[in-house]
Amino acid sequence: MSDKRSGYISWDEYFMGVAVLSGMRSKDPHTQVGACIVSEDNKILSMGYNGFPKGCSDDEFPWAREGEPYDNKYFYTTHSELNAILNYRGGSLEGAKLYVTLFPCNECAKAIIQAGIRTIVYDDDKYEMTPSVMASKRMLDAAGVRYYRYKRTGREIQITL
Ligand SMILES: Nc1ccn([C@H]2C[C@H](O)[C@@H](COP(=O)(O)O)O2)c(=O)n1
Ligand SMILES: [Zn+2]
């Protein structure tokens, strides 16, 4: 009986890879974010990326980062984490794990907590010093939601199909 193959990717590499792939659908010219929600027994439950809601055209709504709030993207973009939660058509997300390429903001932290997600695996945390992310961590800590940074292996695959 031959021994099993070695060098296969870990669950974290697999699901973070799915999150990265999801983010490749984002039309945001500055920051593309992807998310993947997984059950406690490692089944993929949902995926999402940052973008405008259904019916809000990527070619008509603003992708600007500056200017009046009504004329920049922040009022309009649905974050990848919220999209992944809303895309889930099953029952409960209680106890699920969220893989996301960028640390959740305070608004997404509320949705994550209320959805019952218990663990967050994140890759980038470039906004860690912002009040939004500091408030996010404050709520996640209070709610007992665990989060840890994805440990890059250096052999991350470059997905070019
Ligand atoms: N955890 C996050 C943080 C941000 N987003 C989205 C919201 C915007 O579309 C974009 C951030 O834009 P930037 O301020 O970097 O130009 O990423 C998200 O989906 N999840
Ligand atoms: Zn958010």
Side-chain angles (χ1 to χ4, degrees):
M1 193 256 296
S2 67
D3 296 336
K4 77 174 181 183
R5 169 176 172 262
S6 64
Y8 55 91
I9 60 173
S10 68
W11 284 120
D12 278 5
E13 286 174 285
Y14 177 36
F15 296 130
M16 189 57 79
V18 171
V20 168
L21 194 62
S22 301
M24 293 167 80
R25 279 287 304 159
S26 174
K27 286 72 175 183
D28 189 316
H30 187 265
T31 299
Q32 303 82 45
V33 191
C36 174
I37 300 176
V38 177
S39 68
E40 290 172 282
D41 60 343
N42 289 320
K43 300 289 187 301
I44 294 174
L45 299 175
S46 188
M47 298 147 78
Y49 56 88
N50 57 319
F52 298 136
K54 274 186 298 206
C56 302
S57 168
D58 295 320
D59 301 308
E60 287 164 30
F61 276 67
W63 286 112
R65 305 180 75 225
E66 314 288 341
E68 288 303 308
Y70 185 80
D71 297 319
N72 71 45
K73 66 184 178 184
Y74 296 103
F75 273 3
Y76 308 107
T77 49
T78 309
H79 292 193
S80 70
E81 304 91 310
L82 186 57
N83 268 327
I85 290 168
L86 296 172
N87 288 339
Y88 182 52
R89 292 291 188 267
S92 162
L93 288 172
E94 192 61 46
K97 183 185 275 191
L98 168 71
Y99 288 77
V100 60
T101 57
L102 182 57
F103 198 93
C105 73
N106 63 298
E107 291 304 323
C108 291
K110 290 183 249 181
I112 288 162
I113 293 165
Q114 296 300 91
I117 292 168
R118 304 298 302 156
T119 309
I120 298 167
V121 186
Y122 66 95
D123 184 44
D124 189 10
D125 195 4
K126 66 179 177 179
Y127 296 128
E128 66 180 315
M129 300 314 289
T130 63
S132 167
V133 171
M134 290 165 73
S136 171
K137 289 174 180 171
R138 182 179 181 183
M139 288 187 281
L140 293 169
D141 292 344
V145 176
R146 192 166 70 92
Y147 49 87
Y148 64 88
R149 182 162 220 150
Y150 170 70
K151 291 165 188 58
R152 293 198 178 191
T153 61
R155 83 186 155 190
E156 273 68 26
I157 47 174
Q158 299 300 321
I159 300 170
T160 47
L161 301 178

